[in-house]
Amino acid sequence: MKPSIADLQEAARRSRLTIPLEVAMQSPALAYCLNKTALIIAKRRTSTPPKPDFKRLAAGDID
């Protein structure tokens, strides 16, 4: 799976890069890190958060 441009831009923003994305992608180490971060961002975007256990919350069990 190849990350989209939007995912790469989000990864660059979260990484707080001070250089443009095009320049960062020319560096092998930065390109690798940005690709891995973008894949994680894409995976989190597609996954659904777990539903809360309402009975447990009503009982006051927060552990």
Side-chain angles (χ1 to χ4, degrees):
M1 179 178 169
K2 188 174 178 181
S4 67
I5 297 296
D7 293 331
L8 286 170
Q9 289 172 342
E10 179 68 19
R13 187 186 66 76
R14 288 189 185 187
S15 299
R16 297 184 180 143
L17 287 180
T18 58
I19 59 175
L21 180 61
E22 294 80 21
V23 176
M25 293 304 286
Q26 292 175 357
S27 169
L30 279 175
Y32 178 80
C33 294
L34 286 173
N35 279 320
K36 290 296 183 179
T37 305
L39 286 174
I40 292 171
I41 289 170
K43 191 182 295 184
R44 285 183 182 169
R45 186 175 291 146
T46 59
S47 68
T48 58
K51 293 185 178 180
D53 186 2
F54 293 112
K55 288 184 181 180
R56 188 172 142 214
L57 291 173
D61 186 12
I62 57 172
D63 290 338

